[in-house]
Amino acid sequence: MTQSQLKHLHLDSVSKTYAGQVALHPLELIVSPGELVTLLGPSGCGKTTLLRIVAGFLSPDGGRVLLGGRDLTGLPARTRDMGMVFQSYSLFPNLTAGENVAFGLDVRRLGSAEKKQRVDELFALIGLGEFQGRYPAQLSGGQQQRVALARALAIRPSVLLLDEPLSALDAQVRLNLRDEIRRVQQQTGTTTLFVTHDQEEALAISDRVVVLNQGRVAQVGPPAEIYRRPATPFVAEFIGRSSGLSGQVVDAQAGLVQVAGLNAPLGVGRPLGGFSRGEAVRLYLRPEELRLGTQAPGSIPVQIRQKRFLGAVTRVSVGAGTHEFEIDLQGAQAEALALGEETHLHVPSGAIHVIRETVSA
Amino acid sequence: MTDTEPLTRDLQPEGISSSLIRTSDESKTNPSGARRSNDRMAAMEEHPALLPDVLVSELFGQTPPRTVRRNRLARWRSDPLTWLFVGPLLAYLIAFMALPSIAVLISAFRDDAGHFTTQYVQALTQTQYLLGLKNTLTLSFFSALIGAVLGALLAWLALGPGSPGWLRRPLLAFSGVASNFAGIPLALAFLMTLGSTGVVTRLLAGAGFDLSRTGFSLFNVWGLVVVYLYFQIPLMVILIAPALEGLRAEWAEAAENLGASRTVYWRRIGLPIIAPALLACATMLFGNAFATYATPYALTSGTVALLPLQIAAVMTGNVLSEPQMGRAIALLIIVIMLITVALYTYFDRLSSRWRP
């Protein structure tokens, strides 16, 4: 990666409206050189719209797209110096895999020796050296997406754009290719914007995740922060599994929250700075952080309602009055529990994440 | 000879559509099939040795081994359901295509007494038949060429990316009607508009433009080309629409993203992808024009030498009753059609190496 390619991408108050419907509210985002940022959100949240604005296939209604300080907003896609991998396999069917990868180099009129070297280099990078002569129809979905990745990287783009590149693939191929995309991205140091609706994919692959909801940024941060410290109820409920409870702060200093229907206040395990007594809050508890056991101070009496075998863990649903909690247990421990059995839920201090009820997006 | 136009036009769109669909993206038209294929691909990537040859050939587009082809054929032949559906079609093709063609071939080389002769085939070199061949080829070629170009452009503008969605249905509905509007009604319609006393001709004359001075006439080969375009263009729209809709927007976007202009995209990607379909449709238009009888007959009353009109003339005894001569001309038409189909097959095979 040459120095000239180390440019940061700046989306400056970018907005978009379709027929009176706001697809993107003014949005601010800076992607650092070499960083992989994922746009994550449910269908219709505006992530693909944003990516297409960056690529130059859509014009924003407001704001600017800047690359290394240069305003690209009015420029056509072909002059933006960006490589894109599409959701469906978009390799040119009439060209071989090798010709597909060389396409952008042909357009740039690269010398044949240099072109061959670059194509060979990229096929080695994606591990498909012997497939150069095959047509897309003779490749599997995973192989086609690898070639599409090589094609996008061939032109040494300043920014690599990936529009749900794994969504059309089978589960196992998706996992392998996900890791491969990350490896190739790190190896080439290409600044990357990755769009997905798959939270696991986003958490596994990204340096930072931008969670979008209804055209607004709900939260931006590293995957661990997004998972462990969601900023809004939407993020907490969209990312991973969690049991959500509504409550009121009874003692902010002691970190105590009263949940209607539970006998004793729940201890968050830390002072609730910024919260005041009586304030309405939402509590989120991740299933892997909760435990079941015998009665102990602070434990909640619960009844086993449902068990779902998920392979590595069994997800057990337990009820306490009108509240329901999900707990992930290892096989043997879950097998010992019977439906309807009375037991106690232990909520370790620090396992409860507290968000103001009024926080939107 | 009876007017065969409605029959041929009814059959042609169906006949060609299956080959055109092959140019569209398989995963789009048959996602489950594509997914199955991808599943098998993934399996093969992991355990190539476990998969049978037939699967390898399916997945990699290589010609299946002869034994595999034989087995497949045997399976096909032994399936009663196949015969239930394919049987009547085969019977129809044999009864109305193969047998008449063989009969034409044999009778073209027999005289009245049933003895072998080449006199009728040799008579095809006479001036009037050579002129008929030249006129028919000219009329068919240019009406097919212009019809294919204008029809494809119209279809692209109306059905391509960015075109208004509401236009699709009315355009295809109009094309369906117009492509079948041939024969006497079409001839009358053109006489009333572009004939020597037609509405448009008089309007132009009123505006100081004398159409006849340009050399234009409905009653020669070039006039017939104009008339034929009335059904050739809509027919092209119907035939090419599936192929154009199979051109995925992502291909154009991917090319643009890689720095290609629209010209480069069309030269290297768009046109090569739809070329087999364009060629197939143009071939179909050529055949359609070649066999058209009622329209030129109604317009020219046989004054323009065209092979279908010449067959009718010698078969009905309009000039001289010579059924064997008619069969010799029909044989010539069959040979030209076979050459056309062979050419199409050749070009089609060129692109088959990359098709799914």
Side-chain angles (χ1 to χ4, degrees), chain A residues 87-162:
Chain A
Q87 181 177 356
S88 48
Y89 324 127
S90 60
L91 294 179
F92 307 129
N94 59 319
L95 304 183
T96 63
E99 288 166 343
N100 262 280
V101 173
F103 185 87
L105 307 176
D106 289 337
V107 171
R108 282 161 178 74
R109 299 180 191 283
L110 218 68
S112 57
E114 198 182 343
K115 188 168 70 186
K116 187 181 180 315
Q117 187 191 345
R118 178 76 180 137
V119 171
D120 289 345
E121 195 179 293
L122 282 159
F123 271 94
L125 187 71
I126 59 168
L128 289 176
E130 70 276 31
F131 291 80
Q132 275 199 44
R134 293 225 173 121
Y135 286 94
Q138 297 165 334
L139 299 172
S140 70
Q143 289 167 340
Q144 285 188 55
Q145 279 305 52
R146 279 191 202 128
V147 175
L149 179 65
R151 182 178 69 177
L153 288 169
I155 58 171
R156 299 184 199 278
S158 296
V159 180
L160 177 64
L161 307 171
L162 301 143

Side-chain angles (χ1 to χ4, degrees), chain A residues 334-352:
Chain A
E335 277 170 25
L337 296 167
L339 291 180
E341 186 180 330
E342 303 278 345
T343 182
H344 283 81
L345 176 69
H346 296 261
V347 184
S349 61
I352 303 175

Side-chain angles (χ1 to χ4, degrees), chain B residues 236-275:
Chain B
M236 183 67 182
V237 170
I238 294 173
L239 294 176
I240 201 69
L244 290 179
E245 287 173 336
L247 266 183
R248 289 169 47 193
E250 288 98 332
W251 292 331
E253 288 181 348
E256 190 182 356
N257 179 252
L258 293 166
S261 63
R262 297 295 288 175
T263 314
V264 171
Y265 163 72
W266 277 108
R267 185 168 51 80
R268 290 206 54 196
I269 313 297
L271 274 178
I273 289 173
I274 60 164

Side-chain angles (χ1 to χ4, degrees), chain B residues 330-343:
Chain B
L331 183 64
L332 178 62
I333 292 180
I334 291 172
V335 169
I336 288 167
M337 288 301 186
L338 286 176
I339 293 170
T340 311
V341 170
L343 274 175

Side-chain angles (χ1 to χ4, degrees), chain A residues 31-54:
Chain A
V31 183
S32 304
E35 193 181 22
L36 193 156
V37 170
T38 296
L39 304 175
L40 173 68
S43 296
C45 71
K47 55 190 188 299
T48 295
T49 298
L50 185 59
L51 194 81
R52 293 177 67 77
I53 287 173
V54 174

